[in-house]
Amino acid sequence: MEPSVEQSPHHAYPGHWEADVVLRDGGTARIRPITTDDAERLVSFYEQVSDESKYYRFFAPYPRLSAKDVHRFTHHDYVDRVGLAVTVGGEFIATVRYDRIDATGRPASAPADEAEVAFLVQDAHQGRGVASTLLEHIAAVARERGIRRFAAEVLPANNKMIKVFRDAGYTQQRSFEDGSVHLTLDLEPTAESLAVQRAREQRAEARSVQRLLAPGSVAVIGAGRNPGGVGRTVLRNLLGAGFTGRTYAVNSALDADRDTIDGVPAHRSLGEIGEPVDLAVVAVPAERVPEAVADCGEHGVQGLVVLSAGYAEWGAEGRERQRELVRQARSYGMRIIGPNAFGIINNSEAVRLNASLAPERPASGRIGLFTQSGAIGIALLSGLYRRGAGLSTFISAGNRADISGNDFLQYWYEDPDTDVALLYLESLGNPRKFTRLARRTAAVKPVVVVKGARHSGSTPPGHAVPISRIPDATVSALMRQAGVIRVDTVTEMVDAGLLLADQPLPAGGRVAILGNSESLGLLTYDACLAEGLRPRPPRDLTTAATPQDFRDALAEALADEGCDAVIVTAIPWVGEDGEAEQGDGEVLATALHAAAAAGPAKPVAVVHVEIGGLAEALAAATSTVAQQRPAQAQPSGPAPGRTPATTAPPATTASPVTPAPPVTPAPAGDTDAAPEAAESGGARAVGRIPAYPAAERAVRALSEAVKYAQWRRQAAVPGKVPEFLDDTIDEPGAAARIDAALGEDPDPRGRPLSPDEARELLACYGIAVRPTLPAPDAETAVAAAGRLGYPVALKTTAPHLRHRADLGGVRLDLATESAVRRAYGELTELLGKPAELRPVVQAMAPRGVDTVVRATIDPAAGAVLSFGLAGAPSELLGDTAHRLVPATDRDAAELIRSIRAAPVLFGWRGSAPVDTAALEELLLRVSLLVDDHPEVVAVALEPVVVATQGLTVLGASVRLSPPPARTDLGPRRLSNY
């Protein structure tokens, strides 16, 4: 909302303070500055506040606002006097105000850095987290205006307001003076305040998703009068799934004498229903959607699934229509899935919701599936159905103009019905938040992601995303750092999801292979080696093996403490009459389930060729067994995947397999395995055993599980930034140099530092760069060598020759004046004039391995630390590792070990290992510099020569720029599209 011309003469209207937020109950509201045009809204709001709340605000009976009050509370300079309002449907539901004060409590201006703050929340909206959200935003505003502390006077009986301040996580002081509680809050964010903010964000956003997935009533707006069409299809699917709530059909063109559609009560508008509606599925043409949204908002609908197309995917006009749709829905406190969505499914027996275009509700299971593409969603549902997998929830978000994959990560994080999260993403609207949420969710359950539109310029037209400058390989590395299982195809995503959902995590990479085909076993063995696993030699049971032989062999492999996982390979076996048994997969499935139930909790996968019914039997064999699961997984709790119950699968009467004696389970390494044995017969319940038609697919899925399990074990004890670094870092000195370099009016494009400026800045963080001296002629080069001390290096610094020793622009180990003159003549004769080459002289460093350390700020992903070996081969092969900043000691150690050329650092082919500890420390120092000073947008140390003892930084470049906005650290707000 723009202010009138009367508004503050001191400062322009701060539009960047406007924000849409999600409240504790999952509804949305808008926060914005109060303007002079808000007088009537303020008076109306105040009239709806109870006398008690007014008393708590003003410490006396205050039935109405005077004209002077209204003027004071609507006229602000947005510097020393600021007021914010929370609105729903355009009307105020809460306000907050601060006034800058001096040490005596009187009104003041800068440089005074304290302000008095006061809140007022309408009684009907108390308990929704409005005040705590407002505190985050007014604190951010105050910090922007140079205010460092809030002071507040609160009556002792006003427990709710005292709790808001107490629970915010800021450093605070409390005292009791003159009958009131005096509170002082230090507004500098703390680890506790950030943790509180993110915990509240998680609860609110998860609740907003829950309101969509578990409605008590659903209205389909646009259900056609005749069979067919999108609206009628969704209505039919709702009925077919057995939705447990109330269902309504809405069609504005409904005939006057018609009151039902498909047996469901039908109305011309939501207002005619006469009962609350929680969720509306909108299936009308785009031009009629605003009318439908307004009808929903005015009648208290909590959320929308917009199936209608014709939005951002249709160009500029559609993008503006999409923005207006989001603005309109949020103004009423509603969240949106879509537009251009395929729909949502919730398989909970308490809900049974199929508000989608999928004709069949998939089987109930433990997998949550999010996709941004309807076509991919259809393919995934079909693939999961064919393989007997079940879903907890399914969401196809279309243009994801509001609710995105981040929201569903918030929901799945604590959803007891979901063990694995699968996401097909074509864009990341908030990459930093995605990485943060994925890391937290991956600590308790697997997150598997396929990223479509991976190449620059291929973002789907319906998606608004920040522009990223980093390649897709870097994005993949950062996802891995966050514990995300990144796969290339939707087939691989399903393969991994099936294994992770129903099998325990492996304790390591030791794989037993057994089966009745030597060739298939060898293919599996080779695939394991290719994926970095440690397979044991395959055990050939021969083609004459019976299901009992499979059972015995599997039980033996599971009981082996040197085995972490088992892959069973199977081809049709030969019966007693010499004929191949083609269709008796159920018998083999029963045998494998029996062995798995009696053995330790280790993952089992099956690779089969042409065994009819095996995959279906493996998927369905335990469908009647109740699974016991913890109410909420914790990072240090049981490994994700199936949590064993205490009953074994029922015996199949057709099975010739005889019961095997119970096997005492062995502990599954560092993964928290299931209980050793069940009380009922010593067996445990076993989830579906995933079956794969090719060895490579099974091994790839198992490899992802092994890497994820290792990440989980490491994440349980997070890395740290070594404390000893603090004594060698001059943060104030670095800040002063950065301020001086940028100046009072910095160029928004930034500027590179000179070599001397870069050397001085890096020295503030204990990073020493070996100096160079210019050598415009041979005599100057000789003099420079004398100053630095022999031996020296002579090298060119021209952009086209820099860091290109292969082009002959470097001469090393020059130990005499004559050697320097001779090398200088060779360079100028071979490559060009000194003015073009820009030669420099530098003292020789100890021999070692040349490496490169870089840090960059990407507008989408944030600060990224990178490492690789110097030279063309590493650049051509893309052999560079990446981690997000701030990096921990563990990140630094993993960074140098994760490149393919890492063996060169650790004594490859008999060479001496280099000082990797010094290299790790350098990486941590660069990480701290970039993290402490967001103005440092690029650092490149090249080359860094790592010797057997110590290292030498021979070249450095630094680029500064005004710090980019850090939306991930500010107060909670929804993304703007």
Side-chain angles (χ1 to χ4, degrees):
M1 173 179 179
E2 293 297 329
S4 71
V5 293
E6 295 182 25
Q7 199 58 53
S8 164
H10 303 294
H11 214 281
Y13 177 80
H16 63 288
W17 293 351
E18 296 183 356
D20 292 320
V21 296
V22 183
L23 302 177
R24 182 183 301 157
D25 62 356
T28 64
R30 185 161 185 81
I31 295 177
R32 64 168 178 81
I34 298 174
T35 75
T36 54
D37 297 326
D38 288 322
E40 292 185 7
R41 294 185 185 87
L42 182 65
V43 171
S44 175
F45 156 72
Y46 194 76
E47 290 175 348
Q48 298 177 63
V49 175
S50 70
D51 291 338
E52 181 183 50
S53 295
K54 293 173 182 175
Y55 185 87
Y56 284 153
R57 169 65 177 84
F58 293 103
F59 289 29
Y62 216 89
R64 62 187 58 84
L65 296 175
S66 66
K68 183 178 179 181
D69 292 328
V70 173
H71 184 275
R72 178 188 171 209
F73 292 146
T74 56
H75 286 68
H76 306 95
D77 61 11
Y78 301 131
V79 178
D80 301 325
R81 302 183 310 280
V82 172
L84 301 180
V86 182
T87 67
V88 173
E91 299 301 319
F92 286 8
I93 66 168
T95 62
V96 64
R97 174 186 173 89
Y98 81 64
D99 293 89
R100 195 188 300 257
I101 57 175
D102 59 20
T104 66
R106 296 179 178 275
S109 298
D113 61 358
E114 185 171 333
E116 188 174 33
V117 66
F119 296 77
L120 186 59
V121 180
Q122 209 174 85
D123 296 68
H125 295 277
Q126 292 178 11
R128 300 184 65 198
V130 175
S132 59
T133 306
L134 263 182
L135 177 58
E136 290 178 20
H137 284 260
I138 197 68
V141 168
R143 289 193 297 269
E144 181 182 325
R145 296 305 193 219
I147 292 171
R148 298 291 172 258
R149 291 180 306 282
F150 272 163
E153 300 290 337
V154 185
L155 289 174
N158 193 355
N159 294 318
K160 292 180 181 178
M161 201 66 241
I162 293 174
K163 189 175 187 301
V164 167
F165 288 118
R166 185 187 66 216
D167 294 348
Y170 295 113
T171 302
Q172 57 183 272
Q173 295 178 341
R174 287 196 292 173
S175 60
F176 189 77
E177 302 174 10
D178 299 327
S180 67
V181 178
H182 181 78
L183 294 162
T184 302
L185 275 71
D186 186 341
L187 299 184
E188 186 66 25
T190 65
E192 183 182 356
S193 69
L194 188 59
V196 168
Q197 175 181 316
R198 289 178 172 173
R200 289 171 172 168
E201 173 194 66
Q202 188 275 325
R203 288 193 298 269
E205 293 181 359
R207 175 59 180 153
S208 71
V209 171
Q210 184 185 33
R211 298 199 325 175
L212 291 164
L213 289 175
S217 55
V218 177
V220 179
I221 301 176
R225 292 170 291 176
N226 300 314
V230 173
R232 276 296 275 275
T233 299
V234 173
L235 183 62
R236 184 184 65 242
N237 294 343
L238 274 168
L239 297 174
F243 176 54
T244 59
R246 302 180 304 279
T247 305
Y248 305 98
V250 176
N251 187 323
S252 60
L254 194 67
D255 295 334
D257 58 348
R258 186 169 184 179
D259 58 4
T260 63
I261 295 178
D262 287 341
V264 168
H267 305 274
R268 294 175 188 80
S269 68
L270 282 172
E272 293 183 3
I273 294 177
E275 296 180 2
V277 172
D278 298 328
L279 175 68
V281 180
V282 180
V284 298
E287 60 271 15
R288 291 177 48 203
V289 169
E291 177 186 351
V293 172
D295 194 21
C296 292
E298 291 167 3
H299 292 92
V301 172
Q302 296 180 350
L304 306 173
V305 177
V306 181
L307 308 182
S308 311
Y311 288 88
E313 76 277 10
W314 283 15
E317 182 180 348
R319 281 194 295 274
E320 182 53 40
R321 185 183 296 126
Q322 183 166 300
R323 294 189 189 101
E324 183 55 37
L325 168 65
V326 175
R327 283 193 290 265
Q328 184 186 17
R330 287 180 180 174
S331 73
Y332 287 110
M334 298 183 294
R335 300 209 68 183
I336 300 174
I337 291 178
N340 196 26
F342 187 73
I344 58 176
I345 297 174
N346 183 357
N347 269 332
S348 168
E349 280 302 309
V351 182
R352 297 200 299 272
L353 173 72
N354 182 5
S356 78
L357 297 173
E360 295 292 336
R361 183 169 68 102
S364 180
R366 312 293 302 180
I367 296 175
L369 176 60
F370 176 91
T371 172
Q372 292 177 352
S373 163
I376 295 297
I378 295 171
L380 285 168
L381 288 174
S382 176
L384 289 166
Y385 175 80
R386 286 196 308 270
R387 299 179 68 178
L391 295 179
S392 60
T393 45
F394 165 78
I395 308 93
S396 178
N399 294 358
R400 61 130 186 84
D402 179 23
I403 285 186
S404 68
N406 286 347
D407 295 284
F408 280 91
L409 283 176
Q410 300 276 40
Y411 173 76
W412 284 326
Y413 169 68
E414 59 181 10
D415 177 29
D417 294 331
T418 301
D419 289 339
V420 180
L422 307 184
L423 298 97
Y424 171 78
L425 305 175
E426 293 175 345
S427 62
L428 295 175
N430 191 337
R432 294 186 186 187
K433 183 175 180 179
F434 173 81
T435 302
R436 170 169 60 86
L437 299 185
R439 179 191 290 270
R440 186 192 59 190
T441 305
V444 296
K445 58 187 68 173
V447 178
V448 187
V449 170
V450 173
K451 177 70 168 62
R454 290 178 290 177
H455 302 291
S456 178
S458 58
T459 299
H463 298 194
V465 298
I467 298 174
S468 176
R469 294 189 292 262
I470 59 177
D472 183 69
T474 305
V475 175
S476 182
L478 300 182
M479 284 190 178
R480 291 282 182 185
Q481 182 188 2
V484 174
I485 301 170
R486 170 87 183 265
V487 294
D488 293 329
T489 68
V490 292
T491 300
E492 291 178 355
M493 179 167 71
V494 173
D495 287 344
L498 291 176
L499 183 72
L500 291 163
D502 293 305
Q503 296 294 308
L505 289 179
R510 301 168 300 179
V511 182
I513 303 169
L514 61 93
N516 62 351
S517 168
E518 182 180 11
S519 298
L520 193 53
L522 289 174
L523 286 172
T524 305
Y525 182 86
D526 290 342
C528 286
L529 290 176
E531 290 294 333
L533 301 176
R534 291 176 289 162
R536 303 175 66 177
R539 180 179 176 181
D540 183 17
L541 304 179
T542 77
T543 55
T546 67
Q548 181 67 50
D549 295 328
F550 274 92
R551 174 174 176 169
D552 294 341
L554 178 55
E556 183 179 340
L558 290 172
D560 186 349
E561 293 186 5
C563 162
D564 301 313
V566 182
I567 296 179
V568 178
T569 63
I571 62 173
W573 61 89
V574 178
E576 295 180 359
D577 56 0
E579 295 294 327
E581 298 285 348
Q582 295 282 349
D584 209 2
E586 291 186 8
V587 178
L588 179 57
T590 302
L592 296 178
H593 271 290
K602 299 178 182 180
V604 178
V606 174
V607 179
H608 69 98
V609 177
E610 299 298 332
I611 300 183
L614 176 61
E616 294 80 0
L618 287 170
T622 57
S623 61
T624 60
V625 179
Q627 300 290 314
Q628 294 181 354
R629 301 178 180 272
Q632 181 176 345
Q634 298 297 331
S636 59
R642 163 189 46 77
T643 300
T646 56
T647 56
T652 304
T653 56
S655 171
V657 180
T658 57
V663 180
T664 302
D670 291 334
T671 9
D672 294 322
E676 290 193 357
E679 296 178 1
S680 56
R684 57 185 176 81
V686 182
R688 300 175 174 94
I689 297 178
Y692 302 89
E696 296 78 9
R697 288 174 57 178
V699 171
R700 175 67 60 83
L702 180 59
S703 172
E704 296 295 353
V706 169
K707 288 182 283 189
Y708 170 69
Q710 181 181 8
W711 181 89
R712 276 281 297 270
R713 290 190 291 270
Q714 293 175 345
V717 184
K720 298 178 181 179
V721 176
E723 295 182 0
F724 70 86
L725 290 180
D726 296 341
D727 297 333
T728 60
I729 291 174
D730 180 11
E731 184 178 346
R737 285 172 171 78
I738 290 170
D739 290 342
L742 286 175
E744 294 183 0
D745 187 21
D747 187 336
R749 296 171 298 178
R751 56 157 291 213
L753 295 185
S754 69
D756 289 340
E757 289 175 323
R759 189 177 299 112
E760 292 175 0
L761 176 61
L762 292 168
C764 292
Y765 275 71
I767 302 170
V769 182
R770 182 152 293 200
T772 60
L773 297 178
D777 54 58
E779 292 304 316
T780 306
V782 170
R787 289 177 56 189
L788 295 173
Y790 290 99
V792 297
L794 178 67
K795 52 189 180 181
T796 62
T797 60
H800 66 289
L801 297 172
R802 190 174 179 86
H803 306 310
R804 290 298 306 275
D806 56 310
L807 297 181
V810 179
R811 296 292 187 274
L812 303 175
D813 286 320
L814 306 178
T816 64
E817 291 185 10
S818 60
V820 172
R821 288 192 176 92
R822 183 170 58 254
Y824 201 96
E826 291 173 354
L827 284 180
T828 53
E829 181 180 352
L830 178 65
L831 300 175
K833 298 178 180 180
E836 300 171 351
L837 302 181
R838 306 176 193 174
V840 297
V841 177
Q842 190 173 50
M844 283 295 297
R847 294 288 185 177
V849 178
D850 289 0
T851 65
V852 180
V853 174
R854 291 191 177 95
T856 57
I857 305 294
D858 183 81
V864 179
L865 182 67
S866 304
F867 171 76
L869 298 191
S874 291
E875 290 188 26
L876 288 172
L877 296 174
D879 191 17
T880 305
H882 311 275
R883 292 294 185 273
L884 287 173
V885 170
T888 66
D889 52 357
R890 177 175 292 161
D891 292 328
E894 292 176 350
L895 197 58
I896 65 175
R897 290 164 175 80
S898 57
I899 59 173
R900 294 192 294 276
V904 174
L905 303 170
F906 295 93
W908 184 60
R909 288 189 173 180
S911 62
V914 301
D915 192 348
T916 54
L919 184 55
E920 291 170 17
E921 182 178 330
L922 175 66
L923 289 165
L924 290 169
R925 291 179 183 275
V926 173
S927 171
L928 282 172
L929 170 64
V930 175
D931 191 46
D932 289 344
H933 305 282
E935 301 90 347
V936 180
V937 295
V939 176
L941 308 182
E942 182 179 5
V944 177
V945 182
V946 190
T948 54
Q949 290 187 346
L951 54 78
T952 307
V953 180
L954 297 183
S957 63
V958 178
R959 184 174 184 84
L960 303 182
S961 179
R966 290 291 304 272
T967 56
D968 56 323
L969 296 180
R972 290 173 283 158
R973 64 170 62 213
L974 291 171
S975 299
N976 292 321
Y977 290 95

